[in-house]
Amino acid sequence: MGKASIIVFSGDLDKALAALTVATGAAASGMDVTMFFTFWGLNVIKKGGAWKGEGFMGKMFNLMARGGDAIGPSRLNMLGMGRWLMKRMMKKKNVKLPQEMIADARELGVTFLACEMSMRVMGVRKEDLIPVDDVVGVATYVQEASKADIALFI
Amino acid sequence: MGKASIIVFSGDLDKALAALTVATGAAASGMDVTMFFTFWGLNVIKKGGAWKGEGFMGKMFNLMARGGDAIGPSRLNMLGMGRWLMKRMMKKKNVKLPQEMIADARELGVTFLACEMSMRVMGVRKEDLIPVDDVVGVATYVQEASKADIALFI
Amino acid sequence: MGKASIIVFSGDLDKALAALTVATGAAASGMDVTMFFTFWGLNVIKKGGAWKGEGFMGKMFNLMARGGDAIGPSRLNMLGMGRWLMKRMMKKKNVKLPQEMIADARELGVTFLACEMSMRVMGVRKEDLIPVDDVVGVATYVQEASKADIALFI
């Protein structure tokens, strides 16, 4: 049922969740999905650290808090919404944690590729990452993406 | 003449304007266009508030102001440009306000879809939004986007 | 071997480098590549200034520094990585500078288009930019992108 190719450039939690939501949704619809983790996006697939369960709520809080003064006008009125969001999430816990979504993605057969150049430049070794399917260069990305029905940069 | 599918993830004014510009441009060219408003992008289609006419200039100003110290090196030299931009816009007023662009998009037949999961998580109700064509899940997005000639994540 | 169409909306150094990497990679693979520079992305193709060689390292440093306190939780643990990155880059210098990547892109035949509306609104004149192939409107973008095998918004 087609192919999807997603560059995960951002290491921001909200964008990573969006990328994983599209990836798992596409895979669940029977698509052949590839995620390319590059630049800050390498953080998403780093072992431990940024993606630990407990840390998630703290991060979510920070994400919302910065909506109030650092991020800019368009999110100013998200502050109230953000606190509400966090409370709801903590209460209901029906939103999946990033590492749960990553596990879902892997189970659904989503291919995880790490960007070789980013890793080299940033000093990230393969053993710093959760298991990925391959470490590749931009040529591999181009080849995959040119055959994709959905190609996104997130 | 083909289909376009745009995820509006960002609630930032500049990105929302870019998304609406592509959407109306594509619709004016005869394309079948769908916009999926998700996460912060829900702000773009909230009633009143963030998108009121008078508030726009203030927001534009804040947007530019933050270019000076909060946003980072690449936009530092946009500060002067930003003030110039705002002045020009206030004088000429030949740039459409977001709600005008939204009205244009609706008139041109652009489909507005709101993300069900984002709404639930963020506590946004359908009555908080301007009229949309539907509230949908990721499966609907995937189905639409896989048939699109242009699929963007903004 | 197909077409690629990339909107460069962001003026952030990291995103500009990512856009240029995909563009040159696609062109090197034989694809017909078009980059549309719009909004903050116009900064990427401005003469001098933001893209001078010496300034690059300073900018890279700022980019990393802001990872520590301004950018948000997902990049907090990039601070150490960032300094490491910069040092490696300064020592090895095997990562291309933006203007080198732009030169590569031009040599590989990547088409550079500047957004007419953004230029008008922001008061940017054609002579402020490095030589581009054309200054175009959204209709041209839509026409190009609808034929593209890879269409990204960066």
Side-chain angles (χ1 to χ4, degrees):
Chain A
M1 212 211 96
K3 281 172 73 74
S5 156
I6 302 171
I7 292 180
V8 184
F9 170 88
S10 174
D12 288 337
L13 184 66
D14 50 359
K15 288 195 179 171
L17 287 173
L20 286 162
T21 302
V22 173
T24 52
S29 304
M31 292 184 90
D32 179 17
V33 184
T34 305
M35 299 182 88
F36 295 85
F37 296 90
T38 186
F39 232 97
W40 316 103
L42 287 173
N43 263 10
V44 177
I45 52 169
K46 281 189 107 173
K47 277 182 193 155
W51 300 91
K52 276 186 185 144
E54 275 324 294
F56 176 68
M57 289 306 170
K59 273 168 215 306
M60 208 67 208
F61 181 79
N62 288 338
L63 182 74
M64 297 309 156
R66 75 181 171 135
D69 46 56
I71 278 299
S74 66
R75 296 188 193 161
L76 269 175
N77 64 350
M78 292 294 293
L79 186 58
M81 184 184 291
R83 292 187 201 273
W84 173 238
L85 161 60
M86 197 185 63
K87 274 185 205 148
R88 269 184 69 111
M89 286 174 60
M90 294 184 78
K91 207 156 80 187
K92 295 208 154 201
K93 295 209 181 173
N94 57 358
V95 174
K96 296 207 172 180
L97 299 175
Q99 71 269 41
E100 285 179 303
M101 293 199 71
I102 286 174
D104 286 355
R106 300 319 303 259
E107 251 175 67
L108 285 161
V110 173
T111 302
F112 276 32
L113 301 179
C115 172
E116 189 273 332
M117 192 179 79
S118 299
M119 287 175 64
R120 180 166 44 83
V121 170
M122 292 181 159
V124 175
R125 297 156 308 167
K126 209 181 169 181
E127 56 263 37
D128 298 328
L129 304 177
I130 61 171
V132 294
D133 295 290
D134 211 348
V135 174
V136 302
V138 67
T140 302
Y141 165 73
V142 167
Q143 208 174 352
E144 284 289 318
S146 64
K147 286 180 256 159
D149 300 284
I150 306 176
L152 303 176
F153 181 97
I154 297 181
Chain B
M1 212 211 97
K3 280 171 73 74
S5 154
I6 302 171
I7 292 180
V8 184
F9 170 87
S10 174
D12 288 338
L13 186 66
D14 50 0
K15 288 196 179 170
L17 286 173
L20 286 161
T21 302
V22 173
T24 52
S29 303
M31 293 185 89
D32 179 17
V33 184
T34 304
M35 299 182 87
F36 296 85
F37 296 90
T38 187
F39 231 97
W40 316 102
L42 287 174
N43 263 9
V44 178
I45 51 169
K46 280 188 108 175
K47 278 183 192 154
W51 299 90
K52 276 189 185 142
E54 274 323 294
F56 177 68
M57 288 306 169
K59 275 166 213 306
M60 208 67 209
F61 182 80
N62 288 337
L63 182 76
M64 297 309 157
R66 74 182 173 136
D69 47 56
I71 278 297
S74 67
R75 297 190 192 159
L76 269 176
N77 65 349
M78 293 293 292
L79 186 59
M81 185 184 293
R83 292 187 200 272
W84 174 237
L85 159 60
M86 197 185 63
K87 275 186 207 149
R88 268 184 70 109
M89 285 174 62
M90 292 185 78
K91 208 156 76 186
K92 295 210 160 201
K93 294 209 180 173
N94 58 358
V95 173
K96 295 206 173 181
L97 300 175
Q99 69 271 42
E100 286 179 302
M101 294 200 69
I102 286 174
D104 285 355
R106 300 318 304 258
E107 249 174 69
L108 286 161
V110 173
T111 301
F112 276 33
L113 300 178
C115 172
E116 189 274 333
M117 191 178 81
S118 299
M119 287 176 64
R120 180 165 43 83
V121 169
M122 291 182 159
V124 175
R125 297 156 308 167
K126 209 181 168 182
E127 56 263 39
D128 298 328
L129 304 176
I130 61 170
V132 294
D133 295 290
D134 212 349
V135 175
V136 302
V138 67
T140 302
Y141 165 72
V142 167
Q143 207 174 351
E144 284 289 316
S146 65
K147 287 179 256 158
D149 300 284
I150 306 176
L152 302 176
F153 181 97
I154 297 182
Chain C
M1 210 211 99
K3 280 172 72 73
S5 156
I6 302 171
I7 293 180
V8 184
F9 170 89
S10 174
D12 288 338
L13 185 66
D14 50 0
K15 288 196 178 169
L17 286 172
L20 286 161
T21 302
V22 173
T24 52
S29 302
M31 292 184 91
D32 179 16
V33 184
T34 304
M35 300 182 87
F36 296 85
F37 296 90
T38 186
F39 231 97
W40 315 102
L42 287 173
N43 262 11
V44 177
I45 52 169
K46 280 189 107 174
K47 277 183 192 154
W51 299 90
K52 274 187 185 144
E54 275 323 295
F56 177 68
M57 289 306 170
K59 275 168 214 303
M60 208 67 208
F61 181 80
N62 288 338
L63 182 75
M64 297 310 157
R66 75 182 172 136
D69 47 55
I71 278 299
S74 66
R75 297 188 192 160
L76 269 175
N77 64 349
M78 293 294 294
L79 187 59
M81 184 184 291
R83 292 187 201 272
W84 173 237
L85 160 61
M86 197 185 63
K87 274 186 206 148
R88 269 184 69 110
M89 286 175 60
M90 293 184 78
K91 207 156 78 187
K92 294 210 159 200
K93 295 210 180 172
N94 57 358
V95 174
K96 296 208 173 180
L97 300 176
Q99 70 271 40
E100 284 179 303
M101 293 200 70
I102 287 174
D104 286 355
R106 299 319 303 258
E107 250 175 68
L108 285 161
V110 173
T111 301
F112 276 33
L113 301 180
C115 172
E116 189 274 332
M117 191 179 81
S118 299
M119 287 176 64
R120 181 165 44 84
V121 169
M122 292 182 159
V124 175
R125 297 157 307 168
K126 209 181 169 183
E127 56 263 39
D128 299 328
L129 305 176
I130 61 171
V132 295
D133 295 290
D134 211 348
V135 174
V136 302
V138 68
T140 303
Y141 165 72
V142 167
Q143 209 174 352
E144 284 289 316
S146 64
K147 285 180 256 160
D149 300 284
I150 305 177
L152 303 177
F153 181 97
I154 298 181

